[in-house]
Amino acid sequence: MNTHSSRFILLMHCPDQKGIIASVTNFIHQRNGNIVYIDQYVDRSQETFYMRIVIEGKIKTIDFQAFKSHFASELGTSFQLKCSFYQEEKLPKMAVFVSKYDHCLYDILTQQRSGKLKCEIPFIISNHIDLEGIAKQFNIPFYHIPVTKENKKSAEEKQLEILNQHDVDFIVLARYMQIVSSKLIDLYPSKIINIHHSFLPAFPGAKPYHSAFNRGVKIIGATSHYVTEELDAGPIIEQDISRVSHEHEVVDLINKGQDLERMVLLRGLKLHCDRKIMVYNNKTVVFN
Amino acid sequence: MNTHSSRFILLMHCPDQKGIIASVTNFIHQRNGNIVYIDQYVDRSQETFYMRIVIEGKIKTIDFQAFKSHFASELGTSFQLKCSFYQEEKLPKMAVFVSKYDHCLYDILTQQRSGKLKCEIPFIISNHIDLEGIAKQFNIPFYHIPVTKENKKSAEEKQLEILNQHDVDFIVLARYMQIVSSKLIDLYPSKIINIHHSFLPAFPGAKPYHSAFNRGVKIIGATSHYVTEELDAGPIIEQDISRVSHEHEVVDLINKGQDLERMVLLRGLKLHCDRKIMVYNNKTVVFN
Amino acid sequence: MNTHSSRFILLMHCPDQKGIIASVTNFIHQRNGNIVYIDQYVDRSQETFYMRIVIEGKIKTIDFQAFKSHFASELGTSFQLKCSFYQEEKLPKMAVFVSKYDHCLYDILTQQRSGKLKCEIPFIISNHIDLEGIAKQFNIPFYHIPVTKENKKSAEEKQLEILNQHDVDFIVLARYMQIVSSKLIDLYPSKIINIHHSFLPAFPGAKPYHSAFNRGVKIIGATSHYVTEELDAGPIIEQDISRVSHEHEVVDLINKGQDLERMVLLRGLKLHCDRKIMVYNNKTVVFN
Amino acid sequence: MNTHSSRFILLMHCPDQKGIIASVTNFIHQRNGNIVYIDQYVDRSQETFYMRIVIEGKIKTIDFQAFKSHFASELGTSFQLKCSFYQEEKLPKMAVFVSKYDHCLYDILTQQRSGKLKCEIPFIISNHIDLEGIAKQFNIPFYHIPVTKENKKSAEEKQLEILNQHDVDFIVLARYMQIVSSKLIDLYPSKIINIHHSFLPAFPGAKPYHSAFNRGVKIIGATSHYVTEELDAGPIIEQDISRVSHEHEVVDLINKGQDLERMVLLRGLKLHCDRKIMVYNNKTVVFN
C-alpha cells in the first residue's frame, strides 16, 4: 500500500477580489491537502492577485488529477483564475545553449550534479566547438551547430528539432553569443532565460563591461532575465552587483563580472526550476 | 456623516493548524473588512503560525472595538490565538535615551520630523548634558539624569517616573552608554530597542570597533535588537555591514560604523513603529 | 615658539614616466616634510600618473609657500605636472542648493555639525520656501530665489552674486530640482556635486523611481556625480544600491531610495572635502 | 635572441622610515626595471611599512637573480627589510584537502581549468572516498587517507609524505572536516588556507549555520583565513555575507552559505596565488 507523501506546486493569478484566499485554502483542506507554503501578492495598480501554494498529500488519500480538474471547474471560472500545477518530484528539462565562455556552463553542470539545481540537462547546444570537452567531462550530449549569417535559418531548424526530440521545458542561454529568433521566443514564452553581463537597463547590447569602464561607474552588475522580442528588455528575474574603482581595468571588470554572472544566472535558474516565478506585465513576481 | 476609512493592524500567532488562514480571512470579510496586506509564516520546528494583517474599513460600517472583542471570543479560544490590534493612525510614543554621541539622535529626530519615522517623541533622557542643545534645536524636553555607581537606583526611579508620566509605548537606546536594569527591562518587554555597534554575536560588550580592528576582520557591522536580561543577546531586528581593509584604522571603523549604526537603528525603529515585528523564542519575525 | 605640526595635501597628475615617485618623495624629505599618506594610480590606457600625498611638517621647519613654489619650478616643468595644494586645516566653503526634499539637507547639516563633514556652509539657496525652517533651526542664512521660465536668467544672476560674495569653493545640489545653466557649470568646473536618484547610467532624467518600478528591476541605486553640460552624464563619484522586490510599490522605492541618496551624497561630499578626488576624462580617481 | 619581458613580484616590510619608497624605486629604475604596480601601506600603531611592487623587465637586460641578491645586500640591511620575490610565470603548487562537500572543490577545479585560479593542483587528499569521482572527472590524482582517532598520526605522516613528494607551496582546506595538527601548521606557516562557514569571529567551531539559526541573525557570512594553532582564529583574508530572514530554515542557511563559501574561498585563493597578501600580527595586508 502506497502511503508516502507527494508535493504539488500551484501558481495562480486572477483579478483581486474578496474571499479568494479563504476559498482556495478551504478547497485544499476539504480534499485532505496540507498547505506547506503559501505566498501571495496583490499588485494594487493592476488589481491583480498572485499566489503560490505548496500542497502536500498522502498519495493514497489525495488524487492530484481530480484535484486539478475540480480546482479548475469549481474555482477557476468564478474567480477568473489562471493557474499552473507542477508535481515537485517531476524535474523540468533544461536545454543549455553556450558559445565560448565556460564559467556559466561549469557552474550549471556542477550545481546540477550536486543536486542544488533541480533539473535534467538532456543536451548542450553550441555554435562553437570550444566547450565540447566540458560536455564530455560531464557526459552530456553536445550538439555543435555553427551559426553564420547565411545558415541562420537552417541552424535554427536543427536547434528546434533537437529541442522537440527531447521534449524540453525551458532553455538557458549561458553566455550564448547569438540573438535568438522570434520563432524560438514565441515557442518558449517566458521559458528562455538569459544572463546579461550588466546591470540592466544600463548597458544593454554588446560589450557592456567596456561601456561600464568608459562611463566610470563605481558598481557593476549582472542580470538574469526572460528573453522577449526586444533585446535585453525582458522580465528581470535576479540582479546582483560588485563594487569597482578607478583601479580596475576592463579585464578586471570582466573577471569580477563573470563571478556575478554565474551567481546571478544560477539563482535565476534555481528560482525557475523551483517554480517560484510568475511573469506578468513584463515583470516577475518572485516568491522567494 | 463619517465615511472615511480607517486601518487596523492585527498581529497574531498560534499553534500551526489547518484552516486558520481561511477562518481569519472569512471572519474579516463577513464584517466588511478589506484585507490590504496579509503576511504569514510557519515556524516548522516550533509548529507555530504567525500572521500580520492590515485591515481597512469604512468607519461607519466597521466597528473596530466590536471586531476586536468578537475576534477574541470567536477565534481566539478555538485556535489558541495570541493577538495584538493596533490602529494605524494612533502613533506610538517613543522615549529616547542618549549619552554623548549625536549621530543616532540626529537621525531619529530628522526622520521623525520628515514623517518617515511614524512616532511621537515626548522627551529625551540623557545621563550627560552634551546633547541638550540638539533637544532644544528640535524643541523637545530634555531630562538630564546623571548616573553614577552611587545614584543608579534613584536615577532609575526618576527615569521610570518620567516614562510613566508620558505613558510611553517603547524606548530607544540611541547609543545610551549605561546598562539598563532588570526592572526597566521587565516593565518594557520587547519594548526597548538598542543599537549595538558590531555585527552581533561578534564583539558583544564594550569597544567593539577596537576588537574588530584587533581581530583584523574585513567587514564590520551594526545590529539593532530588543534588550533582554543578557547583555547584547536579545532578539535581533536588523543588521547591516560595511567592508573595511587593512588600511582602516580604528577611527575609520568608528566613522564607517556610525553610518551603519544610524541606518540600522532607524530601520529597526521604523519596523517597530509600523508594527511589522513579532518576537518569539528570542528571535524576531519581521514582516517587511 | 611655534612648534605644532601642519598638514598639506598634494594632488597631482602627469604623463606616466620613470622616476616620478622617487623624485617627488625625495623632494619632500629634503624639505623636512613627512609623508603621512601616499596613494598613486597609473591609467595605462591613457599613460597618465595620478598621486595624492599628505605631507606633515613642523610649522617652524617647513615653509609651505616656498615648498609650493619650489615644487612647481623644480619638478613641475620637467615632469609636466598638474598639481593642487591644500592646507588641511583650511575648510572648503560649500554652498547648498535645495528645493523641497529635506532628507539630504538634514543629513548635510547634522553631519557638518557633528564634525564629520569638514566644510563651512555659508548659506542655503532654494527655489522654494519649504525648507526655510530647517535653515533657521541650524542658524544658516537662507536665500529664497524662485525660478520660473521667465526669470531663469535673473534668478541665476542672484545666485552668482551670492556665491561670489561668500567666496564659495564648491556647490552641492541636494535634490535641487532645477537644471543649472552652462554658465554656472563653467564657473565651477568639477565643483558642483549632484545626487541623482538612480543607479546611473540607468534611468537618467526625471522620475527615475517610476521608471525603475515600471522596468521591474530588482535593485535600485543612487549616484553622486560632478555636474557637466550633459544631463546626468558627469563624472561619477560614488554609487550604492538597495534590493527591491515585486512587493515594493513606487512609494517604497522612493523611501528606500531616499536613504541611499543621503548616504551616497554624503560620502561624495566627504571625499570632495577631504580632497580625495581627482577628475579626469569624465571619470574620477578616488583615493579612499 | 631573447627579447621578451618577464615579471617579478616583490613583497616587503620593514620598520617605517623616511626615504624607503624613493630608495626602492630608484634601485629598480637603475637596473632597468619598470614598475608596473606599486602599493604600500604604513601601519602607524606598529610603525611598520609594507610594500608590494610588480617589476617588469626585458629578459636580456635585467638579471633577476642578480637583482634579488643586490637588493638584499644594498637595501636589505640598512632598512631592515624582510622581502620575498616571486616570478609571475612560475605558478604555485596547491594541495587540495577535502572531505564530503563538493561545492568548494568543484569551484576550485573549474576556476583553475578556466585559467582564473593561477596555480597547479598536483593532487587531492581526502579522508573520505565520496569525491573521488570528481577527481577522476578532472584527471587529478586522488589520495584517500581515512583519519580516525587511532590512526591520526600515521595518516598525517602519509599526508606529509605526499606533500613533500610534490614539493607543494601551499594547502587549501576546501571544507576538510578534520582539525590539522600543529606539526602541519608549523611546516606551512601562513600557507594553509581554510574556509570557515560563518562570519568570524561569530560562530567559530562546528555547526555554525545551526548556531546562526538559533541566534536569529539577519545576515550570515563566510570567512577564508590562514590556519594557525588556535582554531578559527588565524589571519582573515576575505569575508562576505548574505541576508537571511526568519523565513529561512537551517537548510536554507546552508544552501545560501555554500554559495558564499565557494566565492569567499576562491577569492582568498586567487589573492594568495597572485601574491597579494602579506601576513603580520595575526592580520593580513591585502593589496587588491
Side-chain angles (χ1 to χ4, degrees):
Chain A
M1 202 178 76
N2 191 343
T3 58
H4 88 273
S5 287
S6 188
R7 281 185 177 192
F8 211 176
I9 298 157
L10 164 59
L11 296 181
M12 52 165 278
H13 65 101
C14 63
D16 191 27
Q17 55 209 291
K18 276 191 188 179
I20 176 75
I21 298 177
S23 301
V24 171
T25 58
N26 274 334
F27 180 94
I28 293 166
H29 293 133
Q30 282 156 16
R31 273 146 195 88
N32 297 309
N34 186 25
I35 295 175
V36 184
Y37 293 104
I38 178 166
D39 287 290
Q40 76 286 321
Y41 160 67
V42 179
D43 182 334
R44 266 153 244 294
S45 58
Q46 309 281 328
E47 295 191 346
T48 305
F49 175 87
Y50 299 85
M51 189 153 65
R52 178 183 187 270
I53 304 186
V54 180
I55 305 155
E56 195 172 61
K58 291 240 161 51
I59 289 297
K60 62 159 201 160
T61 54
I62 195 165
D63 177 343
F64 279 127
Q65 286 313 318
F67 185 101
K68 207 165 136 175
S69 60
H70 290 162
F71 191 85
S73 61
E74 289 186 27
L75 300 177
T77 323
S78 54
F79 287 107
Q80 295 171 262
L81 293 181
K82 301 244 183 281
C83 52
S84 316
F85 288 86
Y86 303 97
Q87 223 176 317
E88 195 179 80
E89 56 212 28
K90 207 172 153 277
L91 299 186
K93 281 188 193 169
M94 176 176 79
V96 180
F97 280 45
V98 295
S99 292
K100 294 184 161 193
Y101 289 108
D102 62 7
H103 56 287
C104 287
L105 178 62
Y106 262 136
D107 240 41
I108 287 169
L109 299 181
T110 59
Q111 291 277 300
Q112 192 254 9
R113 283 292 150 90
S114 299
K116 306 276 168 55
L117 177 62
K118 295 191 177 68
C119 65
E120 290 177 26
I121 301 177
F123 61 86
I124 297 165
I125 281 177
S126 180
N127 56 334
H128 293 281
I129 199 72
D130 309 53
L131 305 181
E132 191 177 28
I134 297 177
K136 266 192 191 140
Q137 201 186 359
F138 285 82
N139 212 16
I140 295 176
F142 180 88
Y143 298 100
H144 177 215
I145 306 178
V147 180
T148 60
K149 259 188 201 171
E150 292 73 30
N151 82 344
K152 211 167 163 47
K153 217 158 181 185
S154 71
E156 193 180 88
E157 290 307 318
K158 275 188 219 162
Q159 292 173 354
L160 284 173
E161 205 182 297
I162 299 168
L163 290 164
N164 283 330
Q165 271 171 18
H166 289 275
D167 197 20
V168 151
D169 290 299
F170 75 108
I171 299 167
V172 55
L173 308 181
R175 297 298 309 272
Y176 179 65
M177 308 304 274
Q178 288 282 331
I179 293 174
V180 296
S181 75
S182 306
K183 192 172 170 188
L184 195 68
I185 295 170
D186 286 348
L187 284 169
Y188 292 90
S190 300
K191 287 180 175 172
I192 305 176
I193 295 177
N194 184 43
I195 179 73
H196 185 75
H197 41 318
S198 90
F199 189 73
L200 288 174
F203 312 124
K207 298 223 170 233
Y209 292 125
H210 290 78
S211 306
F213 177 79
N214 290 331
R215 181 62 187 91
V217 293
K218 300 300 184 187
I219 290 176
I220 56 167
T223 306
S224 57
H225 66 95
Y226 289 109
V227 174
T228 55
E229 282 288 325
E230 195 185 338
L231 186 66
D232 297 330
I236 292 172
I237 301 170
E238 168 69 349
Q239 304 188 289
D240 210 344
I241 59 95
S242 192
R243 287 198 169 270
V244 294
S245 78
H246 62 272
E247 294 187 271
H248 294 97
E249 302 173 25
V250 173
V251 65
D252 301 313
L253 301 199
I254 291 172
N255 282 332
K256 273 178 162 267
Q258 291 188 346
D259 273 347
L260 284 177
E261 291 165 32
R262 55 197 190 104
M263 288 316 227
V264 168
L265 179 57
L266 256 289
R267 282 189 225 138
L269 295 178
K270 285 176 188 175
L271 291 169
H272 185 92
C273 288
D274 295 345
R275 283 85 178 208
K276 291 186 168 171
I277 310 176
M278 299 183 78
V279 174
Y280 76 109
N281 207 12
N282 206 42
K283 299 198 210 179
T284 59
V285 171
V286 178
F287 288 124
N288 195 7
Chain B
M1 203 178 78
N2 192 344
T3 58
H4 87 273
S5 286
S6 186
R7 280 186 177 191
F8 210 176
I9 298 158
L10 164 60
L11 296 181
M12 51 164 279
H13 64 102
C14 63
D16 190 28
Q17 55 209 289
K18 278 192 188 180
I20 175 75
I21 298 178
S23 301
V24 171
T25 58
N26 274 333
F27 180 95
I28 292 166
H29 293 132
Q30 282 156 15
R31 274 149 196 87
N32 296 310
N34 186 25
I35 296 176
V36 184
Y37 293 104
I38 178 166
D39 287 291
Q40 77 285 321
Y41 161 68
V42 179
D43 182 334
R44 267 155 242 293
S45 60
Q46 309 281 327
E47 296 191 343
T48 305
F49 175 86
Y50 299 85
M51 189 153 64
R52 178 182 187 270
I53 304 185
V54 179
I55 305 156
E56 197 172 59
K58 291 240 161 49
I59 288 299
K60 61 160 202 162
T61 54
I62 195 166
D63 177 343
F64 278 129
Q65 285 314 316
F67 186 101
K68 204 165 139 176
S69 60
H70 289 163
F71 192 85
S73 61
E74 289 185 28
L75 299 176
T77 323
S78 54
F79 287 106
Q80 296 171 260
L81 292 180
K82 300 246 183 283
C83 53
S84 315
F85 288 86
Y86 303 96
Q87 224 176 317
E88 197 180 78
E89 57 212 29
K90 206 174 153 275
L91 299 186
K93 281 188 194 169
M94 175 176 79
V96 180
F97 281 44
V98 294
S99 291
K100 294 184 161 194
Y101 289 108
D102 62 8
H103 56 288
C104 287
L105 179 61
Y106 262 136
D107 239 41
I108 287 169
L109 299 181
T110 58
Q111 291 277 300
Q112 192 254 7
R113 283 293 150 88
S114 299
K116 307 274 169 56
L117 177 62
K118 295 191 178 68
C119 66
E120 291 177 24
I121 301 177
F123 60 87
I124 296 165
I125 282 178
S126 180
N127 56 332
H128 292 282
I129 199 72
D130 309 51
L131 305 181
E132 192 177 26
I134 298 177
K136 266 192 190 141
Q137 203 187 357
F138 285 82
N139 211 15
I140 295 175
F142 181 87
Y143 296 101
H144 178 214
I145 306 178
V147 180
T148 61
K149 257 188 200 168
E150 291 73 32
N151 82 344
K152 212 169 164 49
K153 221 161 178 180
S154 71
E156 193 179 87
E157 290 307 319
K158 274 188 220 164
Q159 293 174 351
L160 283 173
E161 208 183 295
I162 298 166
L163 290 165
N164 282 330
Q165 271 172 19
H166 289 274
D167 197 21
V168 151
D169 289 299
F170 76 108
I171 298 167
V172 56
L173 308 180
R175 295 298 308 273
Y176 179 65
M177 309 304 274
Q178 289 282 330
I179 294 173
V180 296
S181 75
S182 308
K183 194 174 168 185
L184 195 68
I185 295 169
D186 286 349
L187 286 168
Y188 292 89
S190 300
K191 288 180 175 171
I192 306 176
I193 295 177
N194 183 44
I195 179 72
H196 184 75
H197 41 315
S198 91
F199 189 73
L200 288 174
F203 313 124
K207 299 220 168 235
Y209 292 125
H210 290 78
S211 306
F213 176 79
N214 290 331
R215 181 63 187 90
V217 293
K218 299 300 185 188
I219 290 177
I220 57 168
T223 306
S224 57
H225 66 95
Y226 289 110
V227 174
T228 55
E229 280 288 325
E230 197 184 336
L231 186 65
D232 296 331
I236 292 170
I237 302 170
E238 169 70 348
Q239 303 189 289
D240 211 342
I241 58 95
S242 191
R243 287 198 169 269
V244 294
S245 78
H246 63 272
E247 294 187 270
H248 294 98
E249 302 174 24
V250 173
V251 65
D252 300 314
L253 302 198
I254 291 172
N255 282 332
K256 273 179 162 268
Q258 290 187 348
D259 273 346
L260 284 176
E261 291 166 31
R262 55 196 190 105
M263 288 315 227
V264 168
L265 179 56
L266 256 288
R267 281 190 224 138
L269 296 178
K270 285 176 187 173
L271 290 168
H272 184 92
C273 289
D274 294 345
R275 283 84 178 209
K276 291 186 167 171
I277 311 176
M278 300 183 77
V279 174
Y280 76 108
N281 208 11
N282 206 43
K283 298 197 209 178
T284 59
V285 171
V286 178
F287 289 124
N288 196 7
Chain C
M1 204 177 76
N2 192 345
T3 58
H4 88 274
S5 287
S6 187
R7 281 183 176 193
F8 211 177
I9 298 158
L10 163 60
L11 296 181
M12 51 165 279
H13 64 101
C14 62
D16 191 26
Q17 56 209 293
K18 276 193 190 180
I20 175 75
I21 298 178
S23 300
V24 171
T25 59
N26 274 334
F27 180 95
I28 293 167
H29 292 132
Q30 282 157 14
R31 274 148 194 86
N32 296 308
N34 187 25
I35 296 176
V36 184
Y37 294 103
I38 178 166
D39 287 291
Q40 77 285 323
Y41 160 68
V42 179
D43 183 333
R44 268 155 242 294
S45 58
Q46 309 282 328
E47 296 191 343
T48 305
F49 175 85
Y50 299 85
M51 187 153 64
R52 178 183 187 268
I53 304 186
V54 180
I55 306 156
E56 196 172 59
K58 291 239 159 51
I59 289 298
K60 60 160 200 160
T61 54
I62 195 166
D63 177 343
F64 278 128
Q65 286 313 317
F67 185 103
K68 209 166 136 174
S69 59
H70 291 161
F71 192 86
S73 60
E74 291 185 26
L75 300 177
T77 322
S78 54
F79 287 107
Q80 295 172 262
L81 292 181
K82 300 243 184 284
C83 53
S84 317
F85 288 86
Y86 303 96
Q87 221 176 318
E88 195 180 82
E89 56 212 29
K90 206 174 152 275
L91 299 186
K93 281 189 194 170
M94 175 176 80
V96 181
F97 281 44
V98 295
S99 291
K100 295 185 161 192
Y101 289 108
D102 62 8
H103 56 288
C104 286
L105 179 60
Y106 262 137
D107 240 39
I108 288 169
L109 299 181
T110 59
Q111 291 277 301
Q112 192 254 7
R113 283 294 149 89
S114 299
K116 306 276 169 55
L117 177 61
K118 294 191 178 67
C119 65
E120 289 177 26
I121 300 177
F123 60 86
I124 296 165
I125 282 178
S126 180
N127 57 333
H128 292 281
I129 199 71
D130 308 53
L131 305 181
E132 191 178 28
I134 297 177
K136 268 193 189 139
Q137 203 186 357
F138 285 82
N139 211 16
I140 294 175
F142 181 89
Y143 298 100
H144 177 215
I145 307 178
V147 180
T148 61
K149 259 190 201 167
E150 292 73 31
N151 82 343
K152 212 167 163 48
K153 217 157 181 187
S154 71
E156 194 180 85
E157 290 306 321
K158 275 188 219 164
Q159 293 173 352
L160 283 174
E161 206 183 296
I162 298 167
L163 290 165
N164 283 329
Q165 271 171 19
H166 289 274
D167 196 20
V168 151
D169 290 298
F170 74 108
I171 299 167
V172 55
L173 308 181
R175 297 296 310 272
Y176 179 66
M177 308 305 273
Q178 290 281 332
I179 293 173
V180 296
S181 75
S182 307
K183 192 174 170 187
L184 195 68
I185 295 170
D186 286 348
L187 285 169
Y188 291 90
S190 300
K191 288 182 175 170
I192 306 176
I193 295 177
N194 183 44
I195 179 73
H196 185 75
H197 41 316
S198 91
F199 190 67
L200 288 174
F203 313 124
K207 298 222 170 230
Y209 292 125
H210 290 78
S211 305
F213 177 79
N214 290 333
R215 181 62 187 91
V217 293
K218 300 300 184 187
I219 289 176
I220 57 167
T223 305
S224 57
H225 65 96
Y226 289 108
V227 174
T228 55
E229 281 289 324
E230 195 184 336
L231 186 66
D232 297 332
I236 292 172
I237 302 170
E238 168 69 351
Q239 304 188 288
D240 210 344
I241 59 95
S242 192
R243 288 200 167 269
V244 295
S245 78
H246 63 272
E247 294 187 270
H248 294 97
E249 302 173 24
V250 173
V251 65
D252 300 314
L253 301 199
I254 290 173
N255 281 332
K256 272 178 162 270
Q258 291 188 346
D259 273 347
L260 285 177
E261 291 165 33
R262 55 196 190 105
M263 287 316 227
V264 168
L265 179 56
L266 257 288
R267 281 190 225 138
L269 296 178
K270 285 177 187 174
L271 291 168
H272 184 91
C273 289
D274 295 345
R275 283 87 178 207
K276 291 186 167 171
I277 311 176
M278 299 182 77
V279 174
Y280 75 109
N281 207 10
N282 207 42
K283 300 197 208 179
T284 59
V285 171
V286 179
F287 288 124
N288 196 6
Chain D
M1 204 179 75
N2 192 344
T3 57
H4 87 274
S5 287
S6 186
R7 280 184 177 194
F8 211 177
I9 298 158
L10 163 60
L11 296 181
M12 51 164 280
H13 65 101
C14 62
D16 191 25
Q17 55 209 289
K18 278 192 187 181
I20 175 76
I21 298 178
S23 301
V24 172
T25 58
N26 275 334
F27 181 95
I28 293 167
H29 293 132
Q30 283 157 14
R31 273 147 195 86
N32 296 309
N34 186 25
I35 295 176
V36 184
Y37 293 104
I38 178 166
D39 286 291
Q40 76 286 321
Y41 160 68
V42 179
D43 181 333
R44 268 154 241 293
S45 59
Q46 309 281 326
E47 296 191 342
T48 305
F49 175 87
Y50 299 85
M51 188 152 65
R52 178 184 187 268
I53 304 187
V54 180
I55 305 156
E56 198 173 58
K58 291 238 159 54
I59 288 299
K60 61 159 198 159
T61 55
I62 195 166
D63 176 344
F64 278 130
Q65 287 313 317
F67 186 101
K68 206 165 138 174
S69 60
H70 290 163
F71 192 85
S73 61
E74 290 185 27
L75 299 177
T77 322
S78 54
F79 287 108
Q80 296 172 262
L81 293 181
K82 300 243 184 285
C83 53
S84 317
F85 287 86
Y86 303 96
Q87 223 177 318
E88 197 180 81
E89 56 211 29
K90 205 172 153 276
L91 298 186
K93 282 189 193 168
M94 175 176 79
V96 181
F97 281 44
V98 295
S99 291
K100 295 185 159 191
Y101 289 107
D102 62 8
H103 56 289
C104 287
L105 179 60
Y106 262 136
D107 240 40
I108 287 169
L109 299 180
T110 58
Q111 291 277 301
Q112 192 255 6
R113 284 292 150 89
S114 299
K116 307 277 169 54
L117 177 62
K118 295 190 178 67
C119 65
E120 290 177 25
I121 301 178
F123 60 86
I124 297 165
I125 282 178
S126 180
N127 57 333
H128 292 281
I129 198 72
D130 308 54
L131 306 181
E132 192 178 27
I134 298 176
K136 268 193 189 139
Q137 203 185 358
F138 285 82
N139 210 17
I140 295 175
F142 181 87
Y143 297 101
H144 177 215
I145 306 178
V147 180
T148 61
K149 258 187 201 170
E150 292 72 31
N151 82 343
K152 209 165 166 51
K153 218 155 180 187
S154 71
E156 194 180 84
E157 291 306 320
K158 275 187 219 163
Q159 293 175 352
L160 284 174
E161 208 182 293
I162 299 166
L163 290 165
N164 282 330
Q165 272 172 18
H166 290 273
D167 197 20
V168 152
D169 290 298
F170 75 107
I171 299 167
V172 56
L173 309 180
R175 296 298 308 272
Y176 179 65
M177 308 304 274
Q178 289 282 331
I179 294 173
V180 296
S181 75
S182 307
K183 193 173 169 186
L184 195 67
I185 296 170
D186 286 348
L187 285 168
Y188 292 89
S190 300
K191 288 180 175 170
I192 306 176
I193 295 177
N194 184 44
I195 178 73
H196 184 75
H197 41 316
S198 90
F199 189 67
L200 289 175
F203 313 124
K207 299 224 168 230
Y209 293 125
H210 290 78
S211 306
F213 177 79
N214 290 332
R215 181 63 187 91
V217 294
K218 300 301 184 187
I219 289 176
I220 57 168
T223 306
S224 57
H225 65 96
Y226 289 110
V227 174
T228 55
E229 281 288 323
E230 197 185 334
L231 186 66
D232 297 332
I236 293 171
I237 301 170
E238 168 70 348
Q239 304 189 288
D240 210 344
I241 59 96
S242 192
R243 288 201 167 268
V244 295
S245 79
H246 63 271
E247 293 187 272
H248 294 98
E249 301 173 26
V250 173
V251 65
D252 300 313
L253 301 199
I254 291 172
N255 281 331
K256 273 179 162 268
Q258 291 187 347
D259 273 347
L260 284 176
E261 291 165 33
R262 55 197 189 105
M263 288 314 228
V264 169
L265 179 56
L266 256 288
R267 281 189 225 139
L269 296 178
K270 284 176 188 173
L271 291 168
H272 184 92
C273 289
D274 295 345
R275 283 85 178 209
K276 291 186 168 170
I277 311 176
M278 300 183 78
V279 174
Y280 76 109
N281 207 9
N282 207 43
K283 300 197 208 179
T284 59
V285 171
V286 178
F287 288 125
N288 196 7

